[in-house]
Amino acid sequence: LLNSYNKIAPIYSIISRLAFGLAIEKIQKQLIQHLPTTGNLLILGGGNGNILPLIYLRAPEINIEYLEASSSMIKSAKLKAPKNQKIIFTHTDQFEIAKSNADLIYSSFFWDLFSEKDIRDNLQIIEKQLSLKPTWFVADFIINKNTKFQFFRKFQMKVTILFFRIFTDYKLKTLPDIFTSFDERKYNTLKNSTIRGNFIAYKVLEKL
Ligand SMILES: C[S@@+](CC[C@H](N)C(=O)[O-])C[C@H]1O[C@@H](n2cnc3c(N)ncnc32)[C@H](O)[C@@H]1O
């Protein structure tokens, strides 16, 4: 929903650090190192713009389209965007990317907002609209049999979800299996890594 993150936008970084330390920033930095230095990058749910200076350091020439549903997050991201960054901000909660010429798509801690079915459906919507087959850069939470301290991680996720259910319009009760949803839409993993005992992961993916 539009603007459902407005209330927490000013404290989003603090909340994320309290809950997960520097892990979110760490995985974002690792993932951004895999971006090519040129191209057309679509960012889904970019949030408060913390990633923008990191992307600029890696790829100052890259063209960015920044889709974000919260006007407060966009306001903050505009302040964080380096002066010469080539970026267009769009305030939307729809995947209106029909006119996009994106060959790269970045989404960190975005797909955890959607059920597995919605992830698959939205991927299909996105795939249909794009003329190119973009490379995807995805970072998010993962809990599976390889995750260490599973009981604690599930508890940590429950508390996080409860927070987002209270302060945003977050609908889910458990973490969706994001990367399996990509697999089900037939994506091939080009690169991947995990941190925090397989609790936070990134993948670079291409559509088969
Ligand atoms: C959990 S935050 C993650 C922010 C950032 N990507 C990061 O890694 O820190 C999710 C963001 O997605 C935005 N959002 C939610 N649904 C959206 C949609 N359908 N389209 C675009 N942005 C959306 C929210 O406003 C919020 O800023």
Side-chain angles (χ1 to χ4, degrees):
L1 279 187
L2 274 183
N3 297 329
S4 64
Y5 273 71
N6 276 6
K7 257 190 276 170
I8 65 155
I11 53 161
Y12 183 81
S13 292
I14 298 169
I15 301 291
S16 126
R17 281 193 181 186
L18 279 176
F20 304 107
L22 295 175
I24 305 283
E25 280 136 282
K26 186 174 174 183
I27 202 91
Q28 288 168 341
K29 273 188 194 155
Q30 289 185 1
L31 179 58
I32 285 168
Q33 289 322 304
H34 294 293
L35 283 176
T37 50
T38 55
N40 296 307
L41 173 66
L42 178 71
I43 299 180
L44 303 176
N48 62 12
N50 278 351
I51 51 171
L52 291 176
L54 300 171
I55 294 176
Y56 188 72
L57 268 180
R58 162 79 191 156
E61 292 304 320
I62 214 163
N63 296 304
I64 303 175
E65 224 179 311
Y66 197 91
L67 301 194
E68 173 46 61
S70 153
S71 57
S72 303
M73 289 287 199
I74 289 189
K75 216 167 149 189
S76 155
K78 281 185 175 166
L79 294 173
K80 286 181 186 154
K83 201 165 92 268
N84 295 324
Q85 195 159 40
K86 298 174 188 170
I87 183 161
I88 294 167
F89 292 94
T90 307
H91 182 213
T92 180
D93 62 352
Q94 305 296 310
F95 297 101
E96 302 156 8
I97 50 176
K99 283 187 232 86
S100 172
N101 55 351
D103 53 353
L104 311 162
I105 303 186
Y106 175 97
S107 57
S108 56
F109 304 95
F110 173 71
W111 291 110
D112 53 29
L113 273 58
F114 299 86
S115 69
E116 285 156 21
K117 180 179 184 307
D118 286 347
I119 296 173
R120 290 194 302 268
D121 290 352
N122 286 323
L123 284 178
Q124 191 176 14
I125 291 171
I126 294 170
E127 287 157 14
K128 267 195 190 155
Q129 292 182 76
L130 290 172
S131 47
L132 299 165
K133 273 190 189 175
T135 308
W136 283 78
F137 300 81
V138 182
D140 226 303
F141 300 106
I142 178 169
I143 299 181
N144 62 22
K145 60 179 183 356
N146 301 321
T147 306
K148 280 193 190 146
F149 315 117
Q150 253 192 61
F151 184 78
F152 170 66
R153 294 308 186 190
K154 281 186 182 157
F155 172 75
Q156 203 177 8
M157 223 52 240
K158 259 199 161 43
V159 176
T160 307
I161 286 174
L162 183 66
F163 174 87
F164 282 100
R165 284 174 66 92
I166 295 171
F167 292 103
T168 72
D169 73 329
Y170 195 88
K171 298 275 184 317
L172 304 182
K173 293 205 168 109
T174 54
L175 181 70
D177 191 341
I178 294 151
F179 296 105
T180 304
S181 306
F182 270 85
D183 293 344
E184 283 164 5
R185 290 286 317 155
K186 306 232 176 314
Y187 281 78
N188 180 34
T189 303
L190 301 174
K191 293 196 175 81
N192 66 309
S193 186
T194 69
I195 58 170
R196 297 289 192 274
N198 205 59
F199 174 53
I200 296 180
Y202 76 68
K203 276 194 177 188
V204 179
L205 301 141
E206 65 176 3
K207 176 83 179 160
L208 288 175

